[in-house]
Amino acid sequence: MSSYTDALKINVNKLNAEEAPIILIEISHPMISEIIRIVQDNKDVVSNGFTYNAVSFQLQRQSDIQGELPKVTLTVQNVGRSLVRWIDMSGGGKQAVVTSKIIRRSDPDVVEEAITLGIERTTVTTMSIVFSLVVYNNLVRRGIKYIFNNKTAPGLF
């Protein structure tokens, strides 16, 4: 669990907040050369030397179901053919890594919280693109990349 800065805690708990937290999204994939960076705001933001383009999107947490991983829905306005072309080429964005970050406009280089998600399913319409995201479950991933046994390394045994 990350520790939020005192400035964010004070601002969020005010009845009349001076600034709202801003959500940054980074989408990376082996098939795209440059990371897609977008911000949920009406103007671009520069954070840690990277420019995040202002795009209308909604990030919504789905209700928890016992025994399943937490899921999030990212709905992005269908802004162009390049994103749809990438979704088609990558099979719905499989193997993509989506990182969500929370910052404040007054101090954009301080990331208050970051979470890394994977794309489970993608739905494309003429109006929007909906990504169903899931938290990576590191407990079911292989800890060792290669297993040496009679089949994979017969010369060792």
Side-chain angles (χ1 to χ4, degrees):
M1 186 86 188
S2 64
S3 176
Y4 300 111
T5 61
D6 290 336
L8 178 73
K9 291 177 192 175
I10 291 168
N11 193 41
V12 168
N13 289 320
K14 284 184 178 179
L15 290 176
N16 189 10
E18 296 167 2
E19 63 178 341
I22 298 174
I23 298 174
L24 306 176
I25 299 288
E26 292 181 352
I27 302 173
S28 62
H29 190 272
M31 292 182 71
I32 54 176
S33 59
E34 203 169 305
I35 296 174
I36 299 168
R37 292 182 172 90
I38 57 176
V39 59
Q40 185 183 26
D41 204 7
N42 55 2
K43 51 185 170 174
D44 295 352
V45 172
V46 177
S47 176
N48 294 306
F50 297 108
T51 301
Y52 292 81
N53 298 317
V55 174
S56 176
F57 67 83
Q58 290 80 35
L59 195 63
Q60 182 179 15
R61 184 171 181 230
Q62 296 176 355
S63 60
D64 289 335
I65 299 173
Q66 187 175 358
E68 290 188 11
L69 294 172
K71 294 183 181 181
V72 176
T73 302
L74 172 64
T75 305
V76 180
Q77 300 304 313
N78 196 344
V79 291
R81 292 184 185 175
S82 60
L83 188 59
V84 175
R85 191 175 304 122
W86 166 72
I87 291 170
D88 286 339
M89 288 174 31
S90 64
K94 298 291 183 198
Q95 299 178 346
V97 176
V98 179
T99 304
S100 171
K101 299 178 180 182
I102 297 175
I103 65 164
R104 292 178 299 121
R105 184 171 291 285
S106 61
D107 196 3
D109 291 335
V110 175
V111 177
E112 300 287 347
E113 184 177 23
I115 186 167
T116 302
L117 306 160
I119 296 177
E120 182 181 55
R121 186 177 64 251
T122 306
T123 307
V124 179
T125 65
T126 57
M127 299 299 288
S128 63
I129 300 169
V130 179
F131 296 102
S132 294
L133 307 174
V134 65
V135 175
Y136 279 125
N137 187 358
N138 291 329
L139 299 176
V140 297
R141 292 175 128 185
R142 282 184 132 171
I144 303 170
K145 190 171 186 177
Y146 301 105
I147 297 175
F148 295 101
N149 56 23
N150 289 338
K151 190 174 182 180
T152 59
L156 293 177
F157 299 95

